[in-house]
């Protein structure tokens, strides 16, 4: 229970995963208040610009005012709509209040997620009414315990059609699907065998008839002599 309570106190992003290059989605940043004697009065979320999130829009939040900061990209991003040279790097919400035992969800819509990375880290600063600042900026590392102040992380999974994905076009055959084909092949072989057997019987009968006719003609010829 203590571990669950500690996890709930972290700023998190929902859902926690999206496909690489996903378009027209929404990220929800959940900000819980972890102080007993102070309220959260300011939330700052920093978006990565090395792998930028394109087309960011902020959902109006009752009681809060959002300020969006954009930054010129070191490496412009080419899209179907043209080349993008700047992207949102920070969103700051002020004017509202998250009280003791409460949380607030901040929704951010995006036009497109990057395709060239496996995860996005959104470092976050949470300011309280008593001046304290919780810095959710530490990045988790593989094989190590979660840091004390982890940043929200969005995992990016393989997009449909990538190698190893069911949508990659590679045919897949299950054992159950293979059985009917085998049964059909066996049935075909049996039919062929039966057909050859019948043909053999017919040939044999015709041979007997021909032999009988020949014998009859031979006897008839002998009597005429």
């Amino acid at each position: 229970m203590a571990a669950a309570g500690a996890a709930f106190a972290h700023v998190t992003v929902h859902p926690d995963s999206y496909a690489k290059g996903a378009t027209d989605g929404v990220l929800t940043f959940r900000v819980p208040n972890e102080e007993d004697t102070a309220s959260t009065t300011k939330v700052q979320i920093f978006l990565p610009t090395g792998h930028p999130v394109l087309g960011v829009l902020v959902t109006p939040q009752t009681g809060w005012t959002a300020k969006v900061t954009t930054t010129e990209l070191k490496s412009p991003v080419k899209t179907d709509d043209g080349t993008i040279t700047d992207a949102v790097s920070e969103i700051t919400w002020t004017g509202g209040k998250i009280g003791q035992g409460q949380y607030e969800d901040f929704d951010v819509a995006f036009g497109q997620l990057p395709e060239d990375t496996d995860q996005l880290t959104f470092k976050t600063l949470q300011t309280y009414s008593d001046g304290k600042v919780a810095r959710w900026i530490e990045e988790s590392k593989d094989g190590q315990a979660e840091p004390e102040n982890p940043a929200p992380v969005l995992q990016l999974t393989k997009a449909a059609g990538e190698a190893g994905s069911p949508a990659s076009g590679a045919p897949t055959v299950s054992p159950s699907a293979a059985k009917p084909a085998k049964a059909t092949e066996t049935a075909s072989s049996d039919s062929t065998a039966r057909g050859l057997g019948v043909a053999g019987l017919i040939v044999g009968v015709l041979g007997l008839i021909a032999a009988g006719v020949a014998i009859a003609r031979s006897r008839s010829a002998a009597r005429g002599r």
Side-chain angles (χ1 to χ4, degrees), residues 94-145:
T94 56
K97 182 177 71 173
I98 307 174
Q100 178 186 359
Q102 299 177 342
Y103 72 89
E104 191 89 29
D105 283 342
F106 298 89
D107 293 336
V108 176
F110 63 82
Q112 183 175 342
L113 295 177
E115 300 178 344
D116 56 353
T117 186
D118 294 328
Q119 66 178 34
L120 295 175
T121 300
F122 300 93
K123 296 182 178 181
T124 304
L125 300 182
Q126 180 180 6
T127 303
Y128 290 91
S129 55
D130 60 2
K132 179 181 177 181
V133 178
R135 301 170 62 83
W136 307 105
I137 61 173
E138 297 177 2
E139 299 186 36
S140 301
K141 297 182 180 180
D142 293 339
Q144 297 185 8

Side-chain angles (χ1 to χ4, degrees), residues 4-222:
F8 182 76
H10 299 164
V11 176
T12 52
V13 60
H14 304 271
D16 58 6
S17 67
Y18 254 114
K20 293 181 178 180
T23 58
D24 301 326
V26 175
L27 298 175
T28 298
F29 293 92
R30 177 159 295 178
V31 183
N33 188 86
E34 61 173 5
E35 293 292 315
D36 295 332
T37 59
S39 300
T40 297
T41 57
K42 182 179 180 180
V43 176
Q44 296 168 268
I45 294 178
F46 298 88
L47 285 69
T49 54
H51 304 284
V53 179
L54 306 180
V56 170
L57 296 172
V58 179
T59 301
Q61 197 82 3
T62 303
W64 296 85
T65 299
K67 177 183 178 182
V68 178
T69 302
T70 59
T71 298
E72 184 175 353
L73 300 175
K74 293 181 179 180
S75 301
V77 179
K78 293 182 179 180
T79 69
D80 294 337
D81 298 324
T83 300
I84 306 299
T85 58
D86 53 33
V88 174
S89 58
E90 178 185 346
I91 305 174
T92 301
W93 286 271
T94 56
K97 182 177 71 173
I98 307 174
Q100 178 186 359
Q102 299 177 342
Y103 72 89
E104 191 89 29
D105 283 342
F106 298 89
D107 293 336
V108 176
F110 63 82
Q112 183 175 342
L113 295 177
E115 300 178 344
D116 56 353
T117 186
D118 294 328
Q119 66 178 34
L120 295 175
T121 300
F122 300 93
K123 296 182 178 181
T124 304
L125 300 182
Q126 180 180 6
T127 303
Y128 290 91
S129 55
D130 60 2
K132 179 181 177 181
V133 178
R135 301 170 62 83
W136 307 105
I137 61 173
E138 297 177 2
E139 299 186 36
S140 301
K141 297 182 180 180
D142 293 339
Q144 297 185 8
E146 183 180 64
E148 184 177 354
N149 299 296
V153 174
L154 178 70
Q155 301 294 335
L156 296 181
T157 60
K158 289 182 178 180
E162 284 194 49
S165 158
S168 61
T172 57
V173 180
S174 65
S176 59
K179 290 181 181 178
K182 184 176 181 180
T184 301
E185 181 180 349
T186 301
S188 177
S189 299
D190 292 344
S191 298
T192 301
R194 285 196 295 270
L196 291 174
V198 172
L201 289 174
I202 293 173
V203 171
V205 171
L206 291 176
L208 290 174
I209 293 174
V213 171
I215 292 173
R217 287 179 178 177
S218 175
R219 290 178 179 177
S220 177

